[in-house]
Amino acid sequence: MTIKKHIPNLITLLNLFCGCIALVFAFNQDFEMAFYFVCLGIFLDFFDGFFARLFNVSSPLGLQLDSLADMVTSGVVPGLVMFQMMISHSSTAAAGHLQFFPYLGFIITLGSCYRLANFNIDTRQTESFIGLPTPANALFILSLPLVLRYTDSIFIVELLTNLWFLLVVTLVSAYMLNAEIPLFSLKVKKFSFKENSLQIIFLTCALLLLVFFRYLGIPLLILFYVLLSVVNNKVLKK
C-alpha cells in the first residue's frame, strides 16, 4: 500500500522532469525536442490522476504537485517558446520599444499560472474543464515553430513570422485558458464505450488529422477540440 501511495506522485514528478528538459531544449531553440518532451510530460500527466483513482490514493498533495508540474511543462515552456519565436523574427523591428516585444510571449505563462491556480479551487471542474486546459494550450503553442519549419505555404510562413500575429496568438491563448467555456475532459475514468464516446470520437479525428497534416494537425486539433466541446454543450442543453 505504501508503494502504491507514491506511484501517482512519482509519475507527476516525471512530468515535471520532462518539463525541465523541454526548457533546456527551448532555450537552445531546439523546438522539436522541446515538443517531444512536453508531449511525454503531458502523457504522464494524463495517467497520474488515473492511477491515483485506481489505487484510491488521491490526496491534496497530489493535486498541488500536479499543478506545480503542469506550471513548468505546460506553462513556462510554451511561454519561452513564444518568446523565442518572437525574438527570432524581431530583428527588423527591434528599434525602440519593440526590443521588449518578445517578452510579451510570457503572457502565456501568466495565463497558465492563473488558470492552474483557479482550477485547484474551482469545484465546477471535477468532471470537465472550464477554459482550455494548459496541456492543450501548450501543444498548440509548441506546434507553431514546427509548422513553420516544415510548411511549404508562404501564407503560413508570413503569419508565423509576423510579430503582431504572434502577439494576437499569445493574447488569445491567455484568454482561452481562462474563458468561461466548458470543455470535455479527455481523462478516462471508466473503461466504457458509452461513457467515453465523445473522447473516442475526438481521438479518432485526432489520429486522422495528425496522419494527414502532421504538425499542422495539432493546432487544427485544438481548434476542433474547442468546437466539439461547444457543440456538445449545445446538445446537452436540449
Side-chain angles (χ1 to χ4, degrees), residues 9-216:
N9 289 344
L10 176 61
I11 295 174
T12 302
L13 289 174
L14 288 175
N15 168 20
L16 175 59
F17 184 57
C18 289
C20 293
I21 296 174
L23 276 176
V24 175
F25 283 114
F27 269 117
N28 294 322
Q29 296 193 356
D30 189 341
F31 299 124
E32 197 155 6
M33 289 302 298
F35 173 81
Y36 290 141
F37 273 98
V38 165
C39 285
L40 180 57
I42 291 173
F43 176 81
L44 294 167
D45 179 53
F46 187 86
F47 282 103
D48 57 2
F50 174 78
F51 280 106
R53 290 186 294 270
L54 180 66
F55 298 145
N56 195 27
V57 292
S58 298
S59 67
L61 172 63
L63 178 65
Q64 300 303 322
L65 203 59
D66 186 69
S67 290
L68 291 171
D70 282 349
M71 183 58 214
V72 176
T73 305
S74 300
V76 180
V77 176
L80 177 60
V81 167
M82 181 57 73
F83 167 82
Q84 294 283 36
M85 286 188 71
M86 287 182 170
I87 207 167
S88 295
H89 306 295
S90 62
S91 57
T92 58
H97 63 282
L98 286 181
Q99 62 182 314
F100 300 106
F101 200 102
Y103 292 99
L104 296 177
F106 288 107
I107 290 175
I108 294 171
T109 301
L110 303 183
S112 300
C113 181
Y114 189 89
R115 193 262 188 281
L116 289 167
N118 189 46
F119 178 81
N120 284 353
I121 61 173
D122 192 342
T123 57
R124 300 173 298 168
Q125 301 191 59
T126 55
E127 299 295 330
S128 60
F129 299 113
I130 297 177
L132 188 64
T134 52
N137 185 67
L139 289 177
F140 182 90
I141 298 300
L142 268 81
S143 68
L144 298 182
L146 302 182
V147 171
L148 178 60
R149 178 178 178 181
Y150 291 104
T151 187
D152 294 323
S153 169
I154 296 177
F155 174 73
I156 293 177
V157 171
E158 290 181 349
L159 275 183
L160 295 181
T161 56
N162 185 289
L163 286 179
W164 298 106
F165 177 77
L166 293 177
L167 178 60
V168 169
V169 170
T170 297
L171 296 176
V172 171
S173 166
Y175 168 76
M176 287 301 299
L177 285 165
N178 297 283
E180 288 288 317
I181 303 175
L183 303 172
F184 66 89
S185 173
L186 292 177
K187 292 189 176 181
V188 177
K189 295 186 176 181
K190 294 181 180 179
F191 292 104
S192 167
F193 178 82
K194 183 178 180 181
E195 294 188 19
N196 298 293
S197 57
L198 192 64
Q199 288 85 348
I200 292 171
I201 292 171
F202 174 77
L203 291 174
T204 302
C205 293
L207 182 61
L208 293 173
L209 283 171
L210 294 175
V211 167
F212 287 104
F213 295 100
R214 296 189 64 196
Y215 292 118
L216 181 58

